[in-house]
Amino acid sequence: MLVPSVIDALFPADLPEPGHWEERYPPRGLPEGAQVTRLGPSPTGFVHIGGIYVAMINRDISRRSGGPYLVRIEDTDQSREVEGAVAQFAGAFDYFGVPADEDDRNGDYGPYLQSARQPIYLSYVRDLLRRDLAYLCFATSEELAEARRRQEEAKVPTGYYGEWAIWRDAEPTAVQAKLDEGAPYVVRFRSPGTTGARASFTDAIRGRLEHEDNRNDVVLLKSSAHPLPLPTYHLAHAVDDHLMRVTLVVRGEEWISSVPLHLQLFEALGFTPPTYAHIAPLMKKIPGGKRKLSKRKDPESSVTFYVQAGYPAEAVLFYLRGLANGRLAELPLPQALEEPIRLAEFGVAGPLVDLVKLEDISADHIATLSGEQILAAVRAWAAEHDPELVPVLDAERELALAALAVEREGVDNPRKDLRKWSDFRTAYGFFFRQLFVPVPVGDPQFGGMAPDLVRAFAEDFAAGYRHDAADWFDQIRALAAKHGFASSPKEYKKDPDAYPGSIREASQLIRLALTGSTRSPDLFAVANTLGAAEVVRRARVLAAS
Ligand code: GLU
């Protein structure tokens, strides 16, 4: 064992003792049963939709229990850090209505950025070294690779343990010699685990679990060669969750195998472990099975995907709640957002993220909103993602509301043509003069109808236009007859060569003139919203094309 003065010389002289941090971050004095939860996103890329999922779960559980939910940025892997990621996190959590109750803006248990907590970790590392529960390891990456090769050859488990842990019981003189040379080192945990031992623990979702115990002397503090040696996830998890007085750790199931190590660490550090709940990852259906939603392969794994497309946050949240607890998917949205999420109701199989289902949910939700609500949401979305739309909506507010009212207000089954805010342009853009793209006579949507006929029909329609609901269809019927269209599809079918089309094609011609598409809401409702002058103008544009 190293003498205390050698250990102390490795650390800043004014480094506080653990007791200082214990006092600085006292127990929270919350009522019995209050749960303190946290999310620990790593700023190594965009926010994953799974991050919103876990944030939502944590936030729900802690708020209901009367405890805070905090966000701690886990940036100990600085080589993988992506610029701008941290700023993106807060924006994403706000968008989905799952902001932290506690972070660097308002919390007393910070800093909430691990790289800013380095002295705290060092205090505990020094303490473990002094108590001989950790030690310095000078093994080079070549030596570790060589040991691994030999372990594989000997068909024994790989890792740094037992006889393979070459610095575990090194003579203090050998350690001193390396220190004198200035050789870089890491600090390793002196694991009490032995080969073949089992550890058992309770998971709040999965119940009693048994797992191979940890025997590895894992690294706690990364290389001293780095100007700011940071802790590994394992040490940071124990120290931070203890000092932030976290009571419930909800995290991905990939951490289950680390629980035995974490329990050893909590024990060595003298901390009470939190309750663990390991959740299954979000999955994606693929031909012949399913796999984890992949950051690399699946655009829908990124929160940006939902924000850019403009899925209403409530719809996404409702969908995610249903994935967490199937019971909630069966409830109406407002109720599902109020009901508690329960750990006991999570499945152990990863739930499937199905965009088609989300779109249905979203369309159903939007159909319950008023025109005013939709317009406000579309405008807010457009300000970020379709700036050209904003001045149009502002200049044409009345028209926008009238357009949104078509087949939406005063009907039993409102239109479900908006699944996300970016659908607005496609579904309603044609109402606005500024966005309407006229379709010329030769467009394939006219189904090969002779251009001169289309022009003449449109011109006639414009010249004699009567803006009258009762008369609307009659005028098209009269025009159709005048231009030689069959009076019914049936009649047309009997002798297709005798007509340019039927009354149906004639109506479509007007629909194309007014909306630029062969699909639209009720044509008179559209005409009425556009107003007589605009109807005539659009017919003339077609006639002149
Ligand atoms: N930073 C860790 C991760 O991104 C957090 C895991 C945890 O919640 O403890 O996987």
Side-chain angles (χ1 to χ4, degrees):
M1 184 173 163
L2 295 179
V3 292
S5 61
V6 172
I7 294 170
D8 290 354
L10 304 173
F11 296 88
D14 58 354
L15 186 71
E17 296 298 326
H20 167 83
W21 304 118
E22 293 290 335
E23 259 172 55
R24 164 74 184 78
Y25 304 110
R28 289 172 181 265
L30 292 169
E32 176 88 19
Q35 301 276 25
V36 182
T37 64
R38 89 304 190 259
L39 184 75
S42 299
T44 50
F46 58 71
V47 191
H48 193 277
I49 188 69
I52 302 296
Y53 180 64
V54 185
M56 171 198 82
I57 297 163
N58 276 310
R59 191 167 187 274
D60 191 89
I61 292 175
S62 53
R63 301 205 119 206
R64 268 172 221 290
S65 71
Y69 155 64
L70 57 96
V71 170
R72 174 175 74 224
I73 307 295
E74 308 215 323
D75 63 341
T76 57
D77 194 352
Q78 300 209 308
S79 61
R80 289 178 53 219
E81 190 153 338
V82 171
E83 227 187 281
V86 174
Q88 199 220 7
F89 285 167
F93 297 136
D94 285 348
Y95 181 87
F96 289 103
V98 288
D101 296 320
E102 190 178 303
D103 58 20
D104 272 322
R105 290 173 290 196
N106 61 1
D108 290 335
Y109 286 78
Y112 295 81
L113 181 71
Q114 286 184 330
S115 59
R117 299 173 63 79
Q118 205 238 7
I120 305 177
Y121 307 120
L122 290 186
S123 294
Y124 287 93
V125 169
R126 183 177 63 187
D127 180 58
L128 289 174
L129 284 168
R130 284 179 184 159
R131 293 191 289 127
D132 206 24
L133 295 171
Y135 62 91
L136 306 187
C137 168
F138 297 87
T140 62
S141 45
E142 293 76 27
E143 285 170 328
L144 294 174
E146 172 61 15
R148 188 184 177 86
R149 199 191 54 72
R150 283 173 35 224
Q151 286 171 329
E152 278 165 1
E153 210 172 75
K155 297 199 170 17
V156 297
T158 56
Y160 199 88
Y161 63 94
E163 64 190 283
W164 304 97
I166 45 179
W167 287 93
R168 182 174 165 114
D169 297 310
E171 289 299 326
T173 48
V175 174
Q176 190 61 59
K178 280 286 181 190
L179 286 175
D180 291 345
E181 265 173 42
Y185 60 85
V186 297
V187 176
R188 283 187 187 270
F189 180 46
R190 186 182 295 281
S191 170
T194 49
T195 304
R198 309 287 293 171
S200 71
F201 47 91
T202 302
D203 180 282
I205 293 173
R206 293 152 200 264
R208 200 78 192 148
L209 295 179
E210 208 194 85
H211 206 279
E212 185 180 16
D213 201 3
N214 172 63
R215 62 168 171 274
N216 271 309
D217 287 353
V218 296
V219 174
L220 300 179
L221 191 69
K222 299 183 204 177
S223 175
S224 61
H226 195 276
L228 184 77
L230 285 171
T232 54
Y233 167 76
H234 308 297
L235 180 70
H237 156 50
V239 169
D240 290 347
D241 284 326
H242 169 68
L243 290 179
M244 291 180 170
R245 309 292 170 177
V246 168
T247 60
L248 172 67
V249 167
V250 178
R251 62 182 179 185
E253 67 179 14
E254 67 275 17
W255 295 109
I256 290 180
S257 59
S258 300
V259 174
L261 162 65
H262 295 159
L263 294 177
Q264 289 176 356
L265 274 175
F266 275 84
E267 170 82 29
L269 290 160
F271 303 157
T272 308
T275 299
Y276 288 105
H278 291 91
I279 55 171
L282 300 181
M283 311 288 283
K284 180 183 172 94
K285 199 168 186 158
I286 50 163
K290 56 180 192 170
R291 62 161 166 74
K292 258 190 186 180
L293 203 56
S294 148
K295 261 195 178 190
R296 229 165 8 89
K297 293 186 223 156
D298 307 319
E300 73 270 32
S301 70
S302 165
V303 162
T304 323
F305 171 86
Y306 302 88
V307 176
Q308 274 174 2
Y311 288 95
E314 302 80 16
V316 176
L317 219 48
F318 170 57
Y319 182 57
L320 292 178
R321 289 175 87 82
L323 294 183
N325 282 180
R327 167 182 56 94
L328 301 179
E330 308 302 322
L331 299 174
L333 180 142
Q335 200 182 334
L337 295 186
E338 291 305 315
E339 286 282 314
I341 292 177
R342 298 198 186 103
L343 288 175
E345 287 180 30
F346 275 79
V348 292
L352 283 178
V353 173
D354 176 352
L355 284 182
V356 175
K357 199 147 177 200
L358 171 62
E359 296 225 322
D360 287 348
I361 285 175
S362 189
D364 287 347
H365 169 61
I366 295 175
T368 67
L369 303 179
S370 69
E372 292 272 2
Q373 288 171 313
I374 294 175
L375 185 58
V378 170
R379 194 191 178 286
W381 169 84
E384 287 288 317
H385 305 283
D386 189 0
E388 202 189 60
L389 193 55
V390 176
V392 179
L393 295 177
D394 289 350
E396 307 282 357
R397 205 182 130 70
E398 291 313 312
L399 174 61
L401 289 173
L404 282 166
V406 172
E407 292 177 17
R408 179 183 308 280
E409 271 156 37
V411 294
D412 287 342
N413 269 322
R415 288 173 66 74
K416 292 191 178 159
D417 50 4
L418 294 176
R419 288 157 304 163
K420 46 195 184 295
W421 307 130
S422 56
D423 291 341
F424 182 84
R425 212 183 233 272
T426 331
Y428 292 88
F430 72 85
F431 278 104
F432 306 91
R433 234 176 124 143
Q434 301 91 321
L435 305 177
F436 176 61
V437 184
V439 179
V441 287
D443 191 276
Q445 292 186 85
F446 285 101
M449 225 183 271
D452 280 344
L453 171 67
V454 175
R455 288 192 193 99
F457 194 102
E459 181 52 46
D460 254 5
F461 175 80
Y465 183 62
R466 291 188 307 280
H467 194 66
D468 178 354
D471 207 19
W472 168 261
F473 199 63
D474 282 345
Q475 65 184 317
I476 294 182
R477 198 191 304 281
L479 273 179
K482 176 176 169 198
H483 289 271
F485 287 84
S487 62
S488 71
K490 206 166 148 201
E491 194 189 327
Y492 172 52
K493 245 200 190 139
K494 272 194 248 161
D495 190 2
D497 292 338
Y499 310 98
S502 74
I503 178 79
R504 184 187 283 164
E505 282 70 32
S507 295
Q508 285 299 62
L509 193 160
I510 297 303
R511 190 183 302 277
L512 276 163
L514 301 190
T515 72
S517 162
T518 53
R519 296 181 53 196
S520 81
D522 173 73
L523 202 46
F524 177 71
V526 169
N528 205 23
T529 308
L530 292 175
E534 181 63 6
V535 169
V536 170
R537 191 189 71 84
R538 291 190 185 188
R540 291 235 152 90
V541 169
L542 177 61
S545 70

